[in-house]
């Protein structure tokens, strides 16, 4: 396949992500130029557990890491692949090689040059068995550098997913000077060393971070402010108050923050996102090894009432891994697990659990997650299922689940650049984010078939079949998709919500 045709296929595929954006009118700052010397002050609900993109244990770390690490492939607002550190790419005619042509003149924050040797070293590190990115690069057999500006990925499996995969954690480039020994790897957790727009000026992990713009960054127009302050605020009312009182310029908009923002006359721009509230199950604990039990959970939960109550209507019911309107969505699954407490009770009887059972669920301490958990706890109790809620920070929650300490977690699966990233990360047998490590019948075969297809329509249909395989197995319980974006002051310029995660490229504060 030629370079132009593979790009076209992927762009058409991602363009099918036609989710509806909504919000107030554009802010006054949108028509003004950003002040390059300003400090952009932003609040969201989490920080980063690690600044090491390949060895972190939480994929959502990628949101903050986008500030300090450029990726080989970048994304536009609609999640289409565009040139990043790789200016262009193409697959070989037989699909056995993906060749990346690197941008020249790029340096890391330590002054070292980003070349084919550095990129190859990163990709080999990303493929190491203890890397969270290894499962995402499934199908890559080896990495070869050609000269100083070309890298070839040799494939032993399907590869259509790899282009957008390289716009996520696997494609983040670290200077090779910062990894390779235990001491360097340990330091990288707290001190990033990338080729991105910013460096970390100071940080209070999990609470507050301050980033300084690089003066030698290759794409200066994507830097909207000289400094970027990132503050963790879990309470939605507090975030809105901080913008109204000019303590912040912008904040993450979550469902429970929209009413306070509207009451205070603040601007916001949101859309139904790929972020999915789910009850993720360790299928080796409690009674979750039984298919009938997992199906009973799905029928016992009233998702519509959760969206209406816990999200105040700012979301959509989740009946699978991806929302309606997204190309990987499977329309045929809409009514598979309708709210039916009687059916749930019958399934528990079939599982030889007529008196029900109990389990412990770790729950993120974010307000929306807590409300969802409380509603779910009450609904499950009506069919004899006891759900003990163990409140935890987002940073602690996923590592505890991944290490096998919890029966389940109520968490948010952050939208990813390509559907295969989410699917292989949470359902792949060898993935560190799948503590069950079960071989889901038909999953690998369905996933491989989808990733062999470079035709947009065919791949969409095959990804829908992957969704069906997972929902038939009831591997986890999708609950709701949230409306997400940002609340902004009038001075913010250049902001538009991303389909996947906000990257803040070119967003700043208007000069006076």
């Amino acid at each position: 396949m030629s370079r132009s045709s593979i790009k076209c296929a992927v762009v058409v595929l991602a363009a099918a992500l036609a989710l509806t954006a909504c919000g107030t009118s554009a802010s006054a700052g949108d028509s003004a130029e950003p002040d390059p010397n300003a400090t952009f002050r932003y609040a969201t609900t989490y920080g980063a557990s690690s600044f090491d993109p390949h060895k972190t244990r939480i994929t959502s770390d990628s949101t903050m890491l986008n500030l300090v690490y450029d990726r080989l492939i970048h994304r536009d607002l609609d999640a289409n692949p565009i040139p990043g550190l790789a200016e262009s790419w193409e697959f070989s005619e037989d699909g056995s090689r993906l060749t990346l042509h690197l941008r020249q003149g790029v340096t890391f924050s330590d002054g070292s040059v980003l070349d084919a040797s550095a990129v190859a070293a990163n990709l080999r590190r990303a493929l190491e068995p203890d890397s969270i990115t290894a499962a995402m690069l499934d199908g890559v057999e080896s990495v070869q550098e050609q000269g100083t500006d070309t890298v070839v990925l040799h494939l032993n499996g399907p590869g259509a997913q790899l282009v957008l995969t390289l716009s996520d954690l696997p494609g983040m480039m670290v200077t090779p000077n910062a990894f390779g020994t235990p001491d360097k790897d340990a330091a990288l957790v707290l001190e990033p060393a990338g080729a991105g727009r910013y460096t970390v000026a100071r940080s209070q992990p999990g609470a507050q971070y301050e980033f300084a713009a690089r003066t030698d960054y290759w794409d200066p127009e994507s830097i909207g402010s000289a400094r970027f302050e990132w503050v963790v605020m879990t309470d939605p009312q507090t975030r809105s108050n901080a913008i109204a009182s000019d303590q912040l310029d912008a904040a993450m908009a979550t469902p429970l923050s929209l009413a306070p923002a509207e009451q205070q006359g603040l601007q916001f721009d949101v859309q139904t996102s790929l972020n999915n509230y789910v009850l993720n199950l360790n299928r080796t604990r409690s009674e979750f090894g039984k298919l009938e039990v997992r199906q009973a959970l799905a029928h016992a939960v009233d998702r519509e009432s959760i969206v209406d109550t816990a999200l105040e209507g700012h979301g959509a019911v989740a009946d699978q891994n991806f929302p309606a309107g997204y190309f990987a969505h499977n329309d045929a699954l809409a009514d598979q697990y309708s709210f039916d407490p009687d059916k749930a009770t019958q399934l528990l009887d079939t599982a030889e659990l007529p008196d029900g059972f109990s389990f412990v669920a770790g729950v993120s301490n974010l307000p929306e997650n807590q409300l969802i958990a409380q509603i779910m706890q009450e609904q499950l109790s009506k069919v004899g299922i006891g759900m003990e809620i163990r409140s935890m920070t987002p940073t602690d929650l996923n590592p505890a689940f991944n290490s096998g300490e919890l029966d389940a977690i109520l968490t948010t699966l952050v939208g990813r650049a390509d559907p295969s990233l989410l699917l292989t990360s949470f359902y792949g047998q060898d993935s560190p984010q799948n503590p069950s490590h079960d071989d889901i019948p038909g999953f690998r075969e369905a996933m491989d078939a989808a990733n062999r297809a470079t035709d947009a329509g065919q791949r969409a249909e095959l990804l829908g079949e992957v969704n069906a395989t997972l929902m038939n197995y009831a591997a986890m319980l999708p609950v709701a998709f949230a409306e997400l974006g940002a609340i902004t002051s009038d001075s913010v310029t250049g902001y538009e919500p991303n389909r996947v995660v906000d990257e803040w490229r070119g967003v700043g504060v208007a000069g006076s």
Side-chain angles (χ1 to χ4, degrees):
M1 180 173 288
S2 68
R3 182 182 311 178
S4 60
S5 60
I6 187 64
K7 282 187 176 181
C8 181
V10 178
V11 167
V12 170
L13 182 65
L17 176 56
L19 304 179
T20 302
C22 60
T24 63
S25 58
S27 64
D30 283 343
S31 60
E33 291 294 323
D35 178 0
N37 298 313
T39 295
F40 188 85
R41 303 161 301 170
Y42 172 69
T44 187
T45 57
Y46 51 84
S49 67
S50 170
F51 279 111
D52 186 339
H54 307 141
K55 306 296 183 179
T56 181
R57 287 290 174 259
I58 304 178
T59 54
S60 59
D61 283 347
S62 62
T63 305
M64 180 185 287
L65 268 54
N66 282 329
L67 293 174
V68 292
Y69 292 111
D70 265 10
R71 291 96 67 212
L72 290 169
I73 310 294
H74 284 183
R75 301 184 298 264
D76 66 15
L77 293 173
D78 288 321
N80 299 315
I82 58 176
L85 296 177
E87 287 189 309
S88 61
W89 54 89
E90 76 269 358
F91 284 93
S92 60
E93 291 292 336
D94 63 359
S96 66
R97 298 184 306 279
L98 171 60
T99 300
L100 306 168
H101 303 279
L102 305 179
R103 188 179 301 277
Q104 299 185 49
V106 176
T107 59
F108 291 101
S109 58
D110 67 351
S112 60
V113 175
L114 184 140
D115 57 13
S117 176
V119 170
N122 270 268
L123 290 173
R124 291 176 186 131
R125 183 174 189 256
L127 283 164
E128 291 174 354
D130 66 336
S131 296
I132 195 172
T133 46
M136 305 177 200
L137 291 172
D138 189 36
V140 177
E141 182 175 42
S142 63
V143 181
Q144 175 190 8
E145 54 202 88
Q146 293 183 352
T148 60
D149 61 357
T150 303
V151 174
V152 180
L153 278 64
H154 293 271
L155 312 181
N156 60 8
Q161 78 285 2
L162 289 173
V163 172
L164 280 170
T165 295
L166 294 175
S167 74
D168 207 289
L169 289 171
M172 291 186 178
M173 296 293 104
V174 184
T175 173
N177 295 329
F179 62 79
T181 69
D183 288 345
K184 288 181 178 180
D185 289 347
L188 191 58
V189 171
L190 297 175
E191 300 176 12
R197 292 163 286 159
Y198 291 92
T199 59
V200 174
R202 62 183 180 87
S203 69
Q204 184 180 347
Q208 188 169 0
Y209 307 79
E210 185 174 324
F211 301 90
R214 290 180 55 195
T215 58
D216 58 346
Y217 183 63
W218 64 269
D219 183 17
E221 292 185 0
S222 68
I223 299 177
S225 301
R227 301 186 85 79
F228 193 114
E229 292 182 358
W230 182 297
V231 182
V232 176
M233 290 184 181
T234 59
D235 182 68
Q237 182 70 62
T238 301
R239 295 197 299 271
S240 294
N241 291 345
I243 296 174
S245 60
D246 195 33
Q247 298 175 60
L248 291 174
D249 300 302
M252 182 181 184
T254 57
L256 293 183
S257 67
L258 298 182
E262 193 165 23
Q263 290 166 5
Q264 297 181 79
L266 299 175
Q267 310 287 342
F268 63 86
D269 197 349
V270 300
Q271 62 182 337
T272 301
S273 72
L274 299 184
N275 285 26
N276 187 3
Y277 296 102
V278 302
L279 184 68
N280 196 358
L281 311 173
N282 185 331
R283 296 174 292 278
T284 67
R285 291 177 62 105
S286 185
E287 301 290 342
F288 296 141
K290 301 175 181 178
L291 174 61
E292 294 87 357
V293 168
R294 302 195 300 270
Q295 292 174 329
L297 281 174
H299 283 294
V301 174
D302 184 353
R303 298 170 181 80
E304 288 190 11
S305 70
I306 288 174
V307 171
D308 291 342
T309 305
L311 304 185
E312 297 182 347
H314 296 296
V317 168
D319 50 39
Q320 55 192 280
N321 293 282
F322 304 104
Y326 185 63
F327 69 89
H329 180 85
N330 186 336
D331 291 341
L333 301 176
D335 298 319
Q336 183 175 13
Y337 294 115
S338 57
F339 177 51
D340 190 341
D342 291 337
K343 181 74 172 289
T345 300
Q346 293 170 9
L347 286 163
L348 290 175
D349 287 342
T350 302
E352 300 181 350
L353 294 168
D355 298 324
F357 70 100
S358 61
F359 68 97
V360 177
V363 179
S364 169
N365 63 359
L366 302 177
E368 287 88 352
N369 296 67
Q370 290 288 308
L371 283 173
I372 291 172
Q374 291 162 15
I375 295 170
M376 186 179 293
Q377 182 185 54
E378 180 182 0
Q379 292 175 348
L380 293 176
S381 69
K382 293 179 179 178
V383 297
I385 300 175
M387 173 178 163
E388 177 187 333
I389 296 174
R390 187 171 298 172
S391 184
M392 304 175 72
T393 67
T395 302
D396 294 333
L397 181 65
N398 288 288
F401 178 69
N402 295 341
S403 64
E405 298 174 26
L406 298 166
D407 301 328
I409 56 171
L410 182 66
T411 187
T412 308
L413 301 188
V414 176
R416 309 305 299 277
D418 187 88
S420 67
L421 287 178
L422 183 143
L423 296 171
T424 57
S425 292
F426 292 101
Y427 301 109
Q429 185 175 11
D430 298 325
S431 173
Q433 295 187 93
N434 175 14
S436 308
H437 296 300
D438 49 348
D439 185 9
I440 299 174
F443 170 69
R444 180 58 184 256
E445 294 80 4
M447 197 75 255
D448 284 353
N451 288 336
R452 286 192 192 97
T454 55
D455 175 77
Q458 183 184 14
R459 185 160 190 252
E461 182 177 345
L462 290 170
L463 285 168
E465 293 181 12
V466 178
N467 255 332
T469 297
L470 294 169
M471 295 309 299
N472 290 340
Y473 189 72
M476 72 169 70
L477 175 59
V479 179
F481 296 100
E483 289 183 358
L484 298 178
I487 303 167
T488 62
S489 70
D490 289 345
S491 61
V492 171
T493 179
Y495 175 76
E496 294 181 70
N498 279 252
R499 297 298 192 188
V500 183
V501 295
D502 286 337
E503 295 186 22
W504 304 102
R505 300 185 75 84
V507 181
V509 180
S512 57

